[in-house]
Structure formats: C-alpha cells, structure tokens
C-alpha cells in the first residue's frame, strides 16, 4: 500500500486529463438547440447578476436591467418560459459550451478570440471602453501607460489595453485582474491601482455615484455586445438573430433601451449604433 | 462608520441571513443547509470508504484509497466545476442545477476528508477494548459498531468538528456558480448598484463576522459534546480516576 500511494497524485493528473479531453461537449451533435428549447418549452438564459444597469438584483430580490428585459422579451417571442441562470464573466462561455445555458445575454463583447469557443448574435449594444481614474490625477489615456491598472478577469479590455499601449509605444502595462467589479472600484479609491477600465455605461454609473472618480476621454476599445450562443448551431443562431431584428424593427428594443439608458433613466447613454436588419 | 453605511448594512442583513424576500431560502440559511447536508451525506459515504481503506480485500482498499486521494486532491472550486459542467452537463444527460451540483461537490469533498479521519480513528482503537468486548460475548458486527466505530468517532470528534468548520467556510466558493448562498447574496447585494462600492469593506467584514460566528458556534458545540461523552467513557473514567 505504501508504495502505491506515490502514484495517486499521478492518478489525479490522468483523471483530469481524461476529463479535459472530453471538452468541449460534442457541438451540434444531433439536435439543434432550437429543437431542444422548443421541445422543453424552456429557454435557459445566462445573465450576470452584478452588472448594473444592464443586469442586477434589486433590493427586493428581483433580477432587473436591460439585459434581463431583453432576455425575457426574446423568450416571450419564442413562446417559451425563461429560466434565468446566474453567470459571471468567467462562467458564461464554459456554461454555453457545456449546454448549461442556451444563450448568454451578458453584456459580452464580440471578439474573434471568443468566437473560437462560442458563436454570437448580431450586435445589440454599442459602447466604448475607457478608464475611470481618481479626479485630478490623470488627464489622458497616455498618462496611464505602464501604470498599475485594474481590469475585469476575462474582459476583452485586457487585450485591448495591451494593444493600445503597445501601438503607441507605451511600456508593458501592469494589470491586476478582478472578478468582482465592486472590489476593483474599491481598489481604485484606495489607491491600490491607478485606473479601472470598463465599458462606458458602467463607468458612467460609477462616476455618477462618486464625485471623486472621473472618466478619461477617448476609447481603448469599441464595445459591441452580442448574445453568446452555442458554437456551430446555425438554426438557433438564426432564430435569435431574427428575434432581435424583429424587436429592433417594431420598437420594442428602443423601449427597453430607453427604460434603462434613456434620457429619464439614472444613467443616460445615447444609443451608439444601429442594428443590422436583414430583409 | 457613517449613518449611510449602517443603513445599508441593516437593509441587506435579512437578505444575507435568509436570502432575498419572496425567493427560495438563500444567504446564510442556504449555506448552513448545504453544509449540514454535505457533512451528513459525506459521513455516510465515509462510513463505507474509511473502514474500507483500513481493512478489506486489496481491490476494495485500492478503490477507497483512490476515492480519498482523488476528491481530497482536487481544489474544491475545480471539483465544483467538474461536477456542474462535466458530470452534470448535458453530455451525460444529468443536467444538474447549481444547487444540486453544489451539494454533490461539497458531499464528495467532505466525505474524502471524513473517511481519512475515520480511518485514523479506527487505527487507534485499543486492542484491549476489542478483546474485552469479545470476552463478554459480542458478535463481530456488534463489536465493530458499538466498540470500534463508536470509539473511533468519539476520539476523532475534534477532527470532525474541524472538518465541518472548514467545509462551512469553504462553501464560499459556491459563489462561482451563483448558488444563492451567503457569498452569492453578498455579491448580488453589493452589485445591485455601482454606488454600493462605498460599502464594500464593511459589508464583507459583516459577512466575515457571520462566518466566524457560525464557525465559533460549531466549535463550542463540538467541545460540549466531547466533554459529555468523555464523562461517560469507561476508559476515560478509569484513567482519570
């Protein structure tokens, strides 16, 4: 027994390798997600729960926000019940790959890197990424080159900032990754980091709530949110795209947008683009 | 601490303790339910695996050893993802909910540790005790259940309590699946408004206090149980006469 013990750590490695080899679940094997959703009468939507004003849980425990309304409306149009699944920046892609969710309405920027793992709908939200800094310390994005900055783990801003900085001859940036947005902002307040990059809409909300924080002008990255979908499932992707385009055409999209980001909302962001609508 | 901070903490406290209003149980209550269930179910598994590793034909010993080393060797967070995404994914048709995955992962994790504790306990049962039981006519299963096992559990009580506290605290990683337990509720409550960033530190301190409070309660409970059992223990009363 004593001798055999030495091999057990090795067994773990082998077992994990086998599990890893299973990844990802055979895509498109058999049924389309469309058929599964329609047969079950339930669509499972991955939504973030700490991303106001796009998706968050309010004081009475209701899950609300722009992404939430959009997901609900898509389910309603499909004529199925919605099951909302809590995801974050790190689980939204793996849950899609493994079929734990059918779509991810998670303020997810459409990037080529992510497109290797999942597919995306047409763009449904337009914005820019920039940095939030402490008032009066920095004036431009160039001032932050080489400084220690906070970014969200798994965010597209990580690559964008490296690229932005390298293209303009800046030194390699020092990046601290946070999985918790609130923790990142706290680090910025405390002086642990010099800036925090996020999508403009989130930063606007942050700056509105704290006079000591301001947005830097400019953009390190364009933000184009797409709904995350299982890879290689064109029937389901078509369904979602057509549904989004119908929502855009009949004005439902605009109503939802204005409710959360319109002139009367707590955070105002002018609509930054136009959805492509296929004839 | 400002008035606004206190107001915020006061307003989120009910959610932290029992979950959001109108929803299923969440917060600390769910953390406790999941931990207790995992410890209970884990102990049942450990009753088979622990003794199995200590004695039995070699295939049983090897299988039990593999079980312990595998589930003890994986970080809990990784085990959680393995259970939820791979084992509980659609591939195998199980399609587990986050709660079910959380309970299974915690149970497997707890059982591996408890099996080892039980094995250690069984190893220190005095031979004289077993022989005495045999002399007074105990059958093999009676001796096993009432003497060996009960002795092992008693001497290992502090270790079991320590494991329970560890599991309770480690359940905080369930936030990764958004299970709705204390850590998830904390993150939701703070994340409901970007302006809540100001309450980040006090809120996590409060939640840390809640975890510590329960851990302390478990520890006291175990201490009391231990003292009560000691006084009735024949060996203890003989040696401490």
């Amino acid at each position: 027994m004593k001798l055999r013990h030495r091999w057990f750590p090795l067994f773990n490695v082998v077992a994990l390798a086998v599990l890893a080899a299973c990844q990802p679940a055979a895509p498109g094997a058999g049924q389309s997600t469309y058929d599964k959703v329609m047969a079950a009468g339930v669509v499972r939507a991955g939504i973030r729960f700490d991303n106001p004003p796009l998706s968050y849980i309010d004081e009475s425990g209701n899950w609300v926000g722009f992404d939430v309304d959009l997901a609900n409306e898509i389910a309603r149009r499909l004529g199925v019940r919605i099951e909302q699944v809590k995801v974050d920046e790190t689980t939204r892609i793996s849950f899609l790959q493994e079929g734990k969710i059918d779509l991810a309405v998670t303020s997810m920027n459409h990037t080529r890197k992510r497109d290797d793992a999942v597919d995306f709908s047409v763009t449904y939200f337009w914005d820019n990424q920039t940095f939030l800094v402490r008032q009066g310390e920095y004036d431009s994005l160039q001032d932050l080159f080489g400084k220690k900055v906070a970014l969200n783990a798994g965010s597209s801003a990580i690559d964008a900032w490296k690229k932005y900085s390298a293209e303009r001859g800046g030194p390699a940036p020092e990046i601290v990754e946070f999985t918790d947005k609130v923790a990142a902002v706290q680090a910025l307040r405390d002086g642990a980091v010099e800036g925090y990059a996020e999508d403009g809409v989130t930063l606007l909300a942050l700056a509105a709530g704290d006079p000591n924080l301001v947005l830097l002008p400019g953009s390190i990255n364009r933000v184009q949110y797409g709904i995350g979908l299982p890879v290689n499932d064109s029937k389901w992707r078509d369904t979602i795209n057509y549904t989004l385009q119908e929502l855009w055409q009949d004005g439902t999209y605009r109503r939802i947008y204005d409710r959360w980001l319109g002139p009367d909302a707590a955070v105002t962001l002018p609509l930054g683009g136009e959805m492509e609508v296929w004839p | 601490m400002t008035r606004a901070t206190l107001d915020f903490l006061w307003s989120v406290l009910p959610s932290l303790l029992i979950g959001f209003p109108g929803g299923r149980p969440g917060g600390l209550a769910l953390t406790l339910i999941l931990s207790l269930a995992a410890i209970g179910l884990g102990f049942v598994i450990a009753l088979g695996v622990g003794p199995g590793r200590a004695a039995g034909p070699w295939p049983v010993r090897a299988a039990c050893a593999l079980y312990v080393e595998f589930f003890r060797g994986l970080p809990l967070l990784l085990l959680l993802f393995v259970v939820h995404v791979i084992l509980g994914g659609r591939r195998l048709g199980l399609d587990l909910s986050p709660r079910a995955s959380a309970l299974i992962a915690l149970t497997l994790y707890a059982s591996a540790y408890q099996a080892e504790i039980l094995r250690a306990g069984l190893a220190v049962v005095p031979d004289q005790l077993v022989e005495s039981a045999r002399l007074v006519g105990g059958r093999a299963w009676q001796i096993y259940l009432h003497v060996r096992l009960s002795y092992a559990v008693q001497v290992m009580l502090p270790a079991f309590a320590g494991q329970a506290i560890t599991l309770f605290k480690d359940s905080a990683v369930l936030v990764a699946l958004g299970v709705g337990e204390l850590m998830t509720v904390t993150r939701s409550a703070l994340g409901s408004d970007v302006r809540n960033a100001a309450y980040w530190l006090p809120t996590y301190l409060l939640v840390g206090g809640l975890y510590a409070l329960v851990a302390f309660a478990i520890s006291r409970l175990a201490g009391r149980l231990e003292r009560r059992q000691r006084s009735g223990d024949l060996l203890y009363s003989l040696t401490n006469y």
Side-chain angles (χ1 to χ4, degrees):
Chain A
M1 277 315 284
K2 281 286 164 284
L3 252 178
R4 208 172 292 152
H5 265 82
R6 273 187 215 156
W7 295 99
F8 285 130
L10 196 65
F11 166 74
N12 268 19
V13 174
V14 171
L16 282 178
V18 170
L19 289 174
C22 296
Q23 295 256 18
Q31 276 182 304
S32 161
T33 306
Y34 176 83
D35 301 319
K36 283 184 205 152
V37 167
M38 288 304 158
V42 179
V43 62
R44 294 196 283 188
I47 307 175
R48 286 161 70 176
F49 58 99
D50 58 352
N51 191 34
L54 299 175
S55 51
Y56 62 102
I57 295 173
D58 70 11
E59 307 86 64
S60 29
N62 300 313
W63 212 341
V64 295
F66 174 78
D67 277 347
V68 181
D69 279 1
L70 199 63
N72 286 336
E73 192 58 31
I74 289 171
R76 208 175 66 79
R77 293 291 169 106
L78 295 176
V80 293
R81 198 166 58 78
I82 189 169
E83 186 184 320
Q84 300 170 327
V85 180
K86 292 192 186 80
V87 296
D88 61 24
E89 291 100 318
T90 50
T91 55
R92 57 189 175 188
I93 290 185
S94 63
F95 281 16
L96 265 179
Q97 286 180 314
E98 294 297 325
K100 298 303 287 188
I101 53 176
D102 304 313
L103 73 170
V105 194
T106 54
S107 333
M108 179 153 54
N109 212 2
H110 191 165
T111 62
R112 290 189 183 193
K113 210 167 164 185
R114 283 178 182 153
D115 214 299
D116 288 343
V118 296
D119 278 350
F120 284 91
S121 71
V122 294
T123 300
Y124 74 92
F125 191 88
W126 305 262
D127 199 0
N128 284 295
Q129 279 173 345
T130 180
F131 272 95
L132 192 69
V133 293
R134 291 182 296 275
Q135 170 97 42
E137 292 192 22
Y138 300 96
D139 299 320
S140 74
L141 290 168
Q142 265 81 357
D143 294 347
L144 280 178
F145 283 173
K147 296 280 195 300
K148 194 195 261 188
V149 295
L151 298 173
N152 292 332
S155 163
S156 55
I158 297 172
D159 286 337
W161 178 235
K162 285 181 188 160
K163 189 158 167 263
Y164 184 92
S165 163
E167 275 171 2
R168 285 158 185 77
E174 195 179 339
I175 292 169
V176 188
E177 292 188 30
F178 284 85
T179 51
D180 189 331
K181 192 170 296 196
V182 180
V185 176
Q186 194 56 39
L188 176 61
R189 284 165 196 275
D190 293 346
V193 293
E194 300 306 309
Y196 172 49
E198 241 290 8
D199 300 347
V201 57
T202 312
L203 297 185
L204 279 172
L206 287 168
D210 188 337
N212 296 319
L213 301 176
V214 290
L215 265 79
L216 286 181
S219 165
I220 59 164
N221 193 20
R222 279 190 71 194
V223 171
Q224 297 170 310
Y225 293 165
I227 293 179
L229 300 165
V231 77
N232 294 347
D233 188 343
S234 76
K235 190 176 181 185
W236 179 235
R237 196 165 66 243
D238 281 346
T239 308
I240 299 303
N241 277 336
Y242 298 161
T243 310
L244 274 176
Q245 291 169 359
E246 280 159 26
L247 292 177
W248 177 271
Q249 276 188 307
D250 68 14
T252 312
Y253 175 93
R254 191 67 210 231
R255 215 168 41 247
I256 296 175
Y257 190 91
D258 283 345
R259 178 171 175 212
W260 297 103
L261 299 153
D264 302 328
V267 176
T268 300
L269 182 76
L271 192 59
E274 193 176 325
M275 191 182 292
E276 56 177 297
V277 178
W278 308 331
Chain B
M1 200 179 287
T2 64
R3 183 63 206 250
T5 310
L6 283 175
D7 284 346
F8 175 78
L9 292 180
W10 184 246
S11 72
V12 296
L13 190 60
S15 302
L16 293 180
L17 292 178
I18 56 165
F20 288 111
R24 289 192 283 185
L28 185 60
L30 185 62
T31 300
L32 279 172
I33 293 170
L34 285 173
S35 310
L36 282 175
I39 290 163
L41 293 171
F43 186 71
V44 174
I45 297 177
L47 278 180
V49 174
R53 191 178 177 185
W58 78 262
V60 174
R61 280 207 309 266
C64 293
L66 273 182
Y67 180 92
V68 168
E69 297 297 341
F70 183 72
F71 290 114
R72 206 172 53 161
L74 277 187
L76 182 54
L77 185 61
L78 196 58
L79 181 60
L80 195 62
F81 279 120
V82 167
V83 169
H84 188 61
V85 172
I86 299 177
L87 197 70
R90 278 185 180 169
R91 183 190 295 116
L92 299 178
L94 280 175
D95 205 10
L96 297 171
S97 73
R99 274 165 208 247
S101 302
L103 181 59
I104 293 171
L106 286 178
T107 300
L108 293 174
Y109 194 67
S111 68
Y113 280 94
Q114 288 176 329
E116 275 303 274
I117 296 172
L118 206 56
R119 188 173 70 105
L122 285 171
V124 298
V125 178
D127 287 341
Q128 298 92 317
L129 203 62
V130 179
E131 277 160 22
S132 313
R134 213 171 277 148
L135 278 178
V136 296
R139 289 165 195 271
W141 68 267
Q142 284 176 321
I143 294 173
Y144 193 79
L145 199 67
H146 296 296
V147 180
R148 291 178 64 97
L149 213 53
S150 106
Y151 185 92
V153 171
Q154 276 181 39
V155 289
M156 285 296 150
L157 203 63
F160 279 116
Q163 206 280 320
I165 292 171
T166 306
L167 186 83
F168 167 74
K169 286 187 305 176
D170 288 353
S171 71
V173 307
L174 300 185
V175 69
L177 293 188
V179 173
E181 37 58 70
L182 183 51
M183 223 38 192
T184 312
V185 172
T186 309
R187 195 164 151 190
S188 311
L190 277 173
S192 69
D193 189 329
V194 283
R195 274 162 274 187
N196 289 348
Y199 312 128
W200 190 78
L201 192 61
T203 307
Y204 274 111
L205 282 177
L206 174 68
V207 171
L210 290 176
Y211 274 109
L213 205 66
V214 174
F216 181 67
I218 299 174
S219 152
R220 288 300 295 264
L221 198 72
R224 186 170 297 179
L225 224 63
E226 207 182 325
R227 275 194 299 279
R228 202 168 60 199
Q229 285 188 345
R230 277 250 176 91
S231 59
D233 186 329
L234 181 68
L235 262 187
Y236 182 86
S237 48
L238 279 176
T239 49
N240 293 275
Y241 183 64

